[in-house]
Amino acid sequence: MSRLRTLKNRWGLTMRLTFFVFAVMIGSFISAGMIVITLHRSGIMSLYTIYEIDTLRRWLPLLMTILFCLLLGIAISVFFSKTALNPIRKIIVAIHKVAGGDFNVQVDLKGIGELEELSESFNTMTRELSSIETLRSDFVNYFSHEFKTPIVSMCGFAKLLKNGNLSDEERREYLDIIIAESERLTELSTNVLNMSKYENILIIHDKCLFRLDEQIRRAILLLEPKWSRKGLSVDVEMDEIAYNGNEDSTQQIWINLLDNAVKYSYQGGLITVCLVSANGGVRFSVQDEGIGMDEQTKAQIFNKFYQGKTSNKVSGNGLGLSIAKRITDLCGGVIEVQSELGKGSRFTVFLPN
C-alpha cells in the first residue's frame, strides 16, 4: 500500500510538471499563431512570404514575431516558476530558522503529494529536535543539581571532620554520610555513561551463547547487600535457558529491574523472580509488594530522568528503567509494567531467542 502511494505521488509530481511545460508551450504557440493571423489579416505580413527569400524586409515581421513569442514564453515560464517554487522557498526559510535555533517552526504545504510528505517529515524533524533540546536542557539542569548536592554535602561534612571536638559517634555518622553521597555520585555517573553508550548504538554486537538463568542468579547475588538490609525475601523460579546475546547488556537489564524492585519494596517484603521460555523467546518478570505507581507514573516511567511522586521516598536518578528499556529495544524485545499504588509493581521483559 505504501509502495503504491509512493508511486502515485511520484507520478503526480511528474504529470504536474509535464502538464506545466506542455501548457507553457501550447500557450506560446497559440499566442504566436494569433499574432501571425492578426498580422496577416491586417495586411502587415503575408503567410506566403516565408517561402520568398528575395528580400530581408519580408522576413523581418516573422522574425520579430518569433522573438516576441520567445520572450512571451520566457515571461510566462518565469511567472509560473515562481509560483511552483514558492513551497520550496518556504522550506528554505524554515530551514534557516531551524539553523538559527528555532525548533518550533512548522510548514504546511498542500496540493502535491511529495510536498505534503516533505512538509510532514520536516515538521516531525523539528518536533524531535525540540524534544531533544528540551531533554538536553532538562539534563543539564538535573545533572548539575544532582552532582552539586552530594558534593556540597560531602564538602561540608569533611570540614566538620577536621574539627577535633567531635565524638566517635559523630565522626562515624559524618563518615557514613560521605560514603553514602559518594556512592550516589558513583551510581549517577555510571548510569549516565551507560545511557550515553546505549543511546548511540543501533545494533548490539559481540553475541554469544550463555545461561540466562545463571546470569540472573548472579545479578540477584550482586544485589544481596541491598535486599538483605531491608529484610526482603527473594523467590526465584527459573527454567534452564540458553540465550544468544551480549552478556554485559542483558545483565544490565536484570540489575536495573531488580534494583528498582528492591528500592521500592517495603521493609520485610517479598520479591518474586521468574524466567520461562515462551513463544520462541524468553520471558522474565520481577514482582515486588512495594509502593507501586499510579497511571501517570506508569505512562512516563521509562522516560529519562523521570521520577514519580513516590520516587522522592527513595534515592534514584530516573535512568535505570530508561537504560533497561533501551537495551530491551536493541535486543528486539518488549518491556511492560503492571502496577497499583500500595500493591507493588511487576515488570515483564520478553526477548526473542
Side-chain angles (χ1 to χ4, degrees), residues 141-157 177 181-182 184-185 188:
N141 294 333
Y142 173 85
F143 199 71
S144 59
H145 171 74
E146 289 296 314
F147 260 81
K148 182 180 179 180
T149 302
I151 290 174
V152 170
S153 177
M154 291 165 62
C155 181
F157 285 106
I177 293 174
E181 293 298 305
S182 63
R184 179 182 167 191
L185 279 176
L188 177 59

Side-chain angles (χ1 to χ4, degrees), residues 156-164 166 170-171 174-175 178:
F157 285 106
K159 289 179 179 179
L160 289 175
L161 285 172
K162 292 180 66 177
N163 188 345
L166 296 175
E170 289 175 327
R171 286 180 180 275
Y174 296 163
L175 286 172
I178 292 175

Side-chain angles (χ1 to χ4, degrees), residues 41 56 65 88 120 124 135 137 145 155 173 176 185 201 203 309 327:
R41 288 181 176 178
L56 182 62
T65 300
I88 306 300
E120 293 175 4
T124 301
L135 177 62
S137 178
H145 171 74
C155 181
E173 180 184 357
D176 287 340
L185 279 176
I201 63 174
I203 300 175
K309 297 177 182 178
I327 298 173

Side-chain angles (χ1 to χ4, degrees), residues 224-283:
E224 191 271 338
K226 291 187 176 183
W227 53 263
S228 291
R229 279 197 299 267
K230 299 185 72 171
L232 301 175
S233 300
V234 182
D235 184 15
V236 180
E237 296 180 7
M238 292 191 291
D239 297 339
E240 293 186 4
I241 296 177
Y243 178 76
N244 184 40
N246 183 283
E247 288 192 73
D248 293 336
S249 298
T250 52
Q251 185 181 40
Q252 195 69 54
I253 299 175
W254 322 133
I255 289 177
N256 288 3
L257 292 180
L258 289 167
D259 183 62
N260 189 76
V262 172
K263 284 180 180 179
Y264 294 98
S265 290
Y266 293 121
Q267 193 77 21
L270 173 67
I271 294 177
T272 303
V273 179
C274 181
L275 178 69
V276 295
S277 298
N279 301 325
V282 296
R283 178 173 284 109

Side-chain angles (χ1 to χ4, degrees), residues 142-143 145-147 149-150 180-181 183-185 187-189 191-192 226 256 259-260 263-264 304-308 310-321:
Y142 173 85
F143 199 71
H145 171 74
E146 289 296 314
F147 260 81
T149 302
E181 293 298 305
E183 289 176 348
R184 179 182 167 191
L185 279 176
E187 181 183 6
L188 177 59
S189 301
N191 281 339
V192 169
K226 291 187 176 183
N256 288 3
D259 183 62
N260 189 76
K263 284 180 180 179
Y264 294 98
K304 290 187 286 289
F305 304 114
Y306 178 78
Q307 292 181 286
T310 56
S311 300
N312 298 326
K313 300 178 181 179
V314 295
S315 62
N317 47 57
L319 283 174
L321 292 178

Side-chain angles (χ1 to χ4, degrees), residues 38-104:
T38 302
L39 293 175
H40 173 69
R41 288 181 176 178
S42 62
I44 298 176
M45 182 186 73
S46 174
L47 293 176
Y48 300 102
T49 59
I50 58 175
Y51 298 105
E52 301 174 5
I53 56 173
D54 56 337
T55 175
L56 182 62
R57 182 178 58 81
R58 294 180 177 180
W59 280 89
L60 187 59
L62 180 60
L63 293 175
M64 292 181 64
T65 300
I66 294 175
L67 179 61
F68 175 77
C69 291
L70 288 175
L71 294 175
L72 180 62
I74 292 173
I76 294 174
S77 298
V78 170
F79 174 77
F80 283 106
S81 294
K82 286 184 177 180
T83 304
L85 293 176
N86 190 49
I88 306 300
R89 292 192 180 92
K90 289 183 179 179
I91 290 289
I92 293 174
V93 171
I95 290 174
H96 285 310
K97 291 183 179 179
V98 171
D102 182 7
F103 300 127
N104 295 317

